[in-house]
């Protein structure tokens, strides 16, 4: 479910030093022109599998531009998400392309992340109940789908974000009982232009 | 004379009886323009299928409703869909697809997933590159938006079904599904789409009225409720209704002006109503004879033949007016004397015109032949009525103040004969030559059917905006696939798809839709099941499952000897629109339509259609264009031939020199009319060519009348010619103001040619040796 990446990425919005009690205050934000780089380790716990599916790689997050999620193991693949849609390459060959025009729900979710990235959680609060504890040094946010019958609830039971000034991890609990844990490492925020290869991936035309 | 008149009465009564008998049996009035083409043998079934497909495509209606408020747009959409459904005028209204219908689609496909490959997957497996499909599956399972779980990986290990579903060619590139509704987000606006298949003939005025009443009422109430609501509609019925409304309005205005003008003109000149009904009688009898003979010979009549045929018979008014104006002047004499005086002129006029009309018979087109018979019979009928009946019905009273009328009618003669006007004449000729040259440089030939009708600008703008938003490419072309049964039809479509995909890469078209893309043939499913088994499952499944750590192996729960067939699609399915692509399916065979979008090179599509047996490329607009092209070329050639055929008659009466002099005015008029029309921005079309047939006929008439007139009768003759010209302009020249391009082109060409033929008519006389 795309929601997984959405929350993983929302969680990544490490930075700033928020003070105060609301989500926007404790959760770090990015501004336009900033780019967040980092590495991830993702583990999926699927029932019926002997061991978790583990994958590692790096990511790029740029507000109003898009997201690149690159796995190095077990196959070399890159997933690029922009307002235009989602595209995936395996070993450099494009294997999947979903235009957000085809799935407006996708465009909607992308908008949620993009706004949350910039500290605007109001859109998110229309779809999820937000529960948060701690302060900016050690905090925890739990998101639960508001509508018990909606398409979100049929896939997702809850999302838990944890951080300490940055987002350290996200846990996604699926409605099927499967779960997913993503840990974020080596995060760096930069205001200089991103490398050409990344910029090319994000500038793909959707027409 | 009386006896001949009675004999003619019996003939006309016979024709009337025959006509009544035919009308009682029901007249087959043909309206299909392609019926005017030469029919190929054995083509009837194909033609029927093309007609059926064209009718079905024309019955589609799409509406986009847009508002800044998503909820308001959706409410409006639901309300419109409901009123369309309730109207009973649609068979299928699509607005909301409940989630269970989408689930049902997945359920329909799921048992057959190992036989449902995308073209790319098939290529990979055939090239032994199954590992790429494995990598894709791994990337997907590990990916950030993974939706796979262990149960799914056991049933569809390589995620073939999701790949197949996302490869299905949905016709609207930019339209997505938002909570069950086809939706487009464009800036701040949310557009929702409603589509419907109508039940009736969209070209029937009654059906148009019923549908538009419901549609417009619904639009009004929606806009009252949501003031900012924007509406974009696309469908043949909207254009047809707008076109019908405006042409009915236009026709009634033109007809009223033309009728009133003619009546005022005749009353003003003759101070007597009798010439009016004498003229109507002559033309009426002509049309009656023509109709009755045509129905007897051809068993029906084409509406185009009827329209132009009546125009061609209308020329009989020239002869009528020659006879009627003969009453002017001091020595007019009895009706029979007057007839005797004009008889040589009008007989010669009729003979040359009949030659002109009969030449149309030489064309190998059913339409032109019908037109030739209709107009020749009608003209003969009118002529006999003038000669045999009019003198008996006419009175003796000479009109008052005829001297002044005759003097003004004589002015044109003076223009050509009088020494005083030498410079004026030279000026006129120079202006004609210059305008001819200027027109020649602007003259364009345009047979494109789509340019001959004037479509509503508002609707065109709506359609363009609709296409921009949805990404729907336009086009009326399609392919027909005929085969012994459904399975062979699907196999043909698959062979066709391969060629079409290549053509699409070359830019010959932007897309296509076949049933086989959604439901592959059994043959293909069987081959794909084997490919998956031999080149994917057997070599890769075990290692793939080991990599994922999935124990317990695959649970395909699929019977591999069962295949999906088109009967699986029910009327509620999200892909129910495919049912419209199946025209017939039964013991006589199967006919299916392949929709084509954005065709830029029709010849390439024609070539592809020839390469696959049982496939036919249908291009309704293109076919009508080629009918118009053929007819235009034939008509021009026939004008030349008929001029040559008229010469022997002229030479017999006037000698070589005299016949060339008589030929001069109509010849120049025919040659110059298209150029003068071009100056008015009118391109040369079949309708212009038909106007030239008329120009040639009236031009010859005017010339022959002038040639035959003795010097003392010249003013009277000229009056008749002048009235003939004015009535022609009133009845046909007025068509030049029409907004329907074909009618406009006809009217302008006729206007230019008739005026020229009139002005130059005195040139045909044999003693105008003044310069």
């Amino acid at each position: 479910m795309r929601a997984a990446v959405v929350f993983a990425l929302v969680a990544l919005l490490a930075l700033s030093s928020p003070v105060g009690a609301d989500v926007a205050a404790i959760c770090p934000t990015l501004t336009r022109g900033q780019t967040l780089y980092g590495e991830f380790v993702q583990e999926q716990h699927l029932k019926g599998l002997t061991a978790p599916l583990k994958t590692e790689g790096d990511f790029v997050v740029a507000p109003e531009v898009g997201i690149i999620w690159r796995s190095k193991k077990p196959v070399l693949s890159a997933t690029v998400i922009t307002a235009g849609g989602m595209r995936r390459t395996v070993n450099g060959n494009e294997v999947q392309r979903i235009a957000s025009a085809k799935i407006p729900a996708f465009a909607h979710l992308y908008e949620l992340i993009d706004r949350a990235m910039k500290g605007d959680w109001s859109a998110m609060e229309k779809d999820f109940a937000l529960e948060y504890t701690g302060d900016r040094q050690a905090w925890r946010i739990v998101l639960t789908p508001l509508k018990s019958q909606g398409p979100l609830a049929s896939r997702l039971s809850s999302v838990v974000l944890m951080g300490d000034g940055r987002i350290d991890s996200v846990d996604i609990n699926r409605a099927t009982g499967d779960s997913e844990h993503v840990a974020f490492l080596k995060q760096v925020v930069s205001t200089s232009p991103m490398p050409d290869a990344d910029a090319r991936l994000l500038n793909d035309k959707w027409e | 004379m009386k006896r001949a008149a009675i004999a003619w009465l019996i003939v006309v009564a016979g024709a009337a009886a025959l006509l009544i008998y035919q009308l009682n049996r029901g007249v087959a009035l043909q309206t299909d323009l392609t019926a005017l083409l030469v029919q190929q043998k054995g083509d009837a079934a194909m033609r029927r299928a093309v007609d059926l497909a064209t009718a079905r495509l024309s019955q589609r209606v799409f509406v986009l409703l847009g508002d800044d408020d998503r909820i308001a747009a959706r409410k409006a959409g639901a309300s419109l869909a409901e009123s369309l459904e309730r109207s009973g005028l649609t068979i299928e209204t699509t607005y909301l697809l409940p989630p269970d219908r989408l689930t049902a689609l997945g359920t329909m496909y799921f048992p057959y997933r190992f036989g449902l490959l995308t073209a790319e997957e098939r290529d990979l497996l055939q090239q032994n590159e199954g590992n790429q499909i494995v990598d894709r599956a791994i990337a997907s399972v590990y990916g950030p938006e993974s939706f796979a779980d262990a149960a799914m990986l056991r049933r569809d290990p390589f995620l073939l079904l999701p790949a197949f579903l996302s490869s299905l060619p949905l016709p609207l590139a930019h339209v997505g599904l938002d909570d069950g509704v086809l939706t487009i987000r464009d800036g701040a606006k949310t557009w929702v789409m409603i589509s419907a298949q109508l039940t009736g003939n969209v070209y029937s005025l009654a059906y148009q009225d019923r549908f538009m009443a419901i549609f417009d009422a619904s639009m009004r109430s929606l806009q009252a409720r949501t003031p900012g609501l924007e509406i974009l509609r696309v469908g043949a019925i909207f254009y047809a209704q707008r076109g019908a409304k405006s042409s009915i309005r236009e026709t009634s205005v033109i007809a009223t002006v033309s009728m009133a003008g003619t009546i005022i003109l005749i009353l003003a000149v003759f101070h007597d109503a009798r010439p009016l009904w004498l003229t109507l009688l002559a033309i009426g009898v002509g049309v009656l004879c023509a109709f009755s003979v045509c129905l007897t010979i051809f068993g029906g009549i084409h509406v185009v033949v009827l329209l132009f045929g009546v125009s061609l018979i209308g020329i009989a008014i020239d002869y009528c007016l020659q006879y009627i104006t003969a009453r002017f002047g001091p020595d007019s004499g009895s009706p029979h004397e007057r007839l005797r005086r004009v008889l040589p002129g009008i007989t010669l006029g009729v003979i040359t015109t009949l030659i002109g009309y009969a030449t149309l018979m030489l064309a190998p087109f059913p339409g032109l032949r019908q037109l030739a018979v209709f107009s020749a019979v009608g003209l003969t009928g009118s002529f006999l009525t003038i000669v045999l009946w009019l003198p008996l019905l006419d009175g003796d009273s000479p009109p008052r103040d005829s001297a002044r009328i005759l003097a003004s009618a004589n002015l044109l003669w003076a223009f050509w004969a009088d020494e005083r006007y030498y410079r004026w004449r030279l000026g006129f000729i120079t202006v004609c030559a210059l305008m001819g040259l200027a027109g020649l440089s602007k003259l364009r030939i345009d047979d494109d059917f789509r340019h001959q009708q004037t479509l509503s600008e508002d609707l065109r703008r709506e359609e363009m905006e609709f296409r921009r938003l949805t990404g729907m490419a336009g086009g009326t072309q399609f392919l027909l696939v005929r085969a012994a049964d459904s399975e062979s039809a699907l196999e043909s479509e698959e062979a066709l798809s391969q060629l079409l995909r290549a053509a699409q890469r070359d830019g010959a078209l932007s897309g296509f839709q076949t049933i086989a893309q959604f439901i592959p043939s059994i043959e293909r499913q069987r081959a794909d099941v084997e490919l998956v088994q031999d080149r994917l499952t057997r070599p890769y499944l075990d290692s793939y499952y080991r990599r994922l750590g999935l124990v317990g192996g695959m649970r395909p729960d699929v019977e591999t000897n069962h295949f999906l067939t088109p009967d699986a699609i029910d009327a509620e399915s999200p892909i129910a629109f495919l049912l419209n692509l199946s025209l017939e399916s039964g013991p006589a065979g199967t006919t299916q339509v392949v929709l084509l979008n954005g065709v830029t090179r029709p010849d390439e599509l024609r070539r592809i259609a020839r390469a696959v047996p049982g496939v036919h490329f249908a291009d309704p607009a293109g076919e009508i264009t080629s009918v118009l092209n053929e007819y235009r070329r034939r008509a021009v050639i026939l004008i030349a031939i008929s001029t040559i055929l008229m010469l022997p008659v002229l030479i017999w009466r006037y000698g070589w020199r005299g016949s060339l002099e008589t030929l001069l005015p109509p010849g120049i008029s025919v040659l110059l009319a298209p150029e003068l029309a071009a100056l008015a921005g009118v391109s040369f079309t079949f309708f212009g060519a038909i106007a030239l047939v008329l120009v040639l006929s009236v031009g010859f008439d005017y010339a022959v009348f002038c040639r035959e007139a003795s010097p003392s009768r010249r003013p009277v003759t000229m009056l008749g010619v002048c009235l003939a010209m004015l009535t022609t302009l009133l009845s046909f020249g007025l068509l030049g103001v029409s907004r329907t391009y074909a009618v406009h082109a006809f009217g302008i060409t006729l206007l230019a040619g008739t005026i020229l033929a009139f002005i130059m008519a005195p040139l045909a006389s044999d003693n105008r040796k003044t310069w």
Side-chain angles (χ1 to χ4, degrees), chain B residues 128-143:
Chain B
N128 260 323
E129 301 268 359
N131 57 315
Q132 289 199 30
I133 296 177
V134 177
D135 284 350
R136 183 189 71 189
I138 288 177
S140 201
V141 172
Y142 281 87

Side-chain angles (χ1 to χ4, degrees), chain A residues 1 44 47 49-50 88 101-102 104, chain B residues 141 145-146 150 172 176 549-550:
Chain A
M1 176 56 195
Q44 288 184 68
K47 286 189 292 184
L49 265 56
T50 49
R88 177 154 39 228
K102 285 278 166 208
Chain B
V141 172
E145 37 44 277
S146 176
L172 306 166
L550 190 69

Side-chain angles (χ1 to χ4, degrees), chain B residues 21 34 46 49 73 88 92 213 224 242 287 402-403 543 681 699 704 749:
Chain B
Y21 168 71
T34 53
M46 191 58 95
E92 190 187 294
R242 235 9 120 73
V287 172
S402 57
S543 61
V704 166
T749 310

Side-chain angles (χ1 to χ4, degrees), chain B residues 262-296:
Chain B
T262 309
I263 292 172
I264 291 169
L265 179 71
I266 293 200
L267 289 181
V269 173
F270 295 101
H271 298 279
D272 183 2
R274 188 155 27 193
L276 211 57
W277 66 260
L278 289 180
T279 311
L280 281 179
L281 176 73
I283 292 172
V285 169
V287 172
L288 179 130
C289 296
F291 214 151
S292 144
V293 168
C294 244
L295 287 182
T296 311

Side-chain angles (χ1 to χ4, degrees), chain A residues 1-2 4-5 42 44 47 49-50 53-55 69 74 79 86 88 90-91 95 101-102 104 111 174 178 207, chain B residues 135-136 138-142 144-150 170 172-178 185 548-551:
Chain A
M1 176 56 195
R2 257 156 229 103
V5 76
Q42 176 194 331
Q44 288 184 68
K47 286 189 292 184
L49 265 56
T50 49
L53 298 174
K54 198 170 158 188
T55 177
W69 188 263
T79 305
M86 192 208 82
R88 177 154 39 228
V90 173
N91 300 320
V95 295
K102 285 278 166 208
E111 199 188 319
R174 299 193 198 166
D178 291 342
E207 280 304 314
Chain B
D135 284 350
R136 183 189 71 189
I138 288 177
S140 201
V141 172
Y142 281 87
E145 37 44 277
S146 176
F147 50 84
D149 57 28
L170 296 172
L172 306 166
H174 305 155
V175 182
L177 207 55
D178 174 13
R185 297 234 289 189
L548 293 179
L550 190 69
V551 287

Side-chain angles (χ1 to χ4, degrees), chain B residues 252-270 276 317 321 722-732 734:
Chain B
S252 58
V253 170
I254 292 180
T256 312
V257 172
S258 153
M259 186 87 82
T262 309
I263 292 172
I264 291 169
L265 179 71
I266 293 200
L267 289 181
V269 173
F270 295 101
L276 211 57
I317 200 167
L321 286 169
C722 183
L723 288 177
M725 185 269 300
L726 289 174
T727 51
T728 304
L729 294 189
L730 278 173
S731 44
F732 304 126
L734 264 185

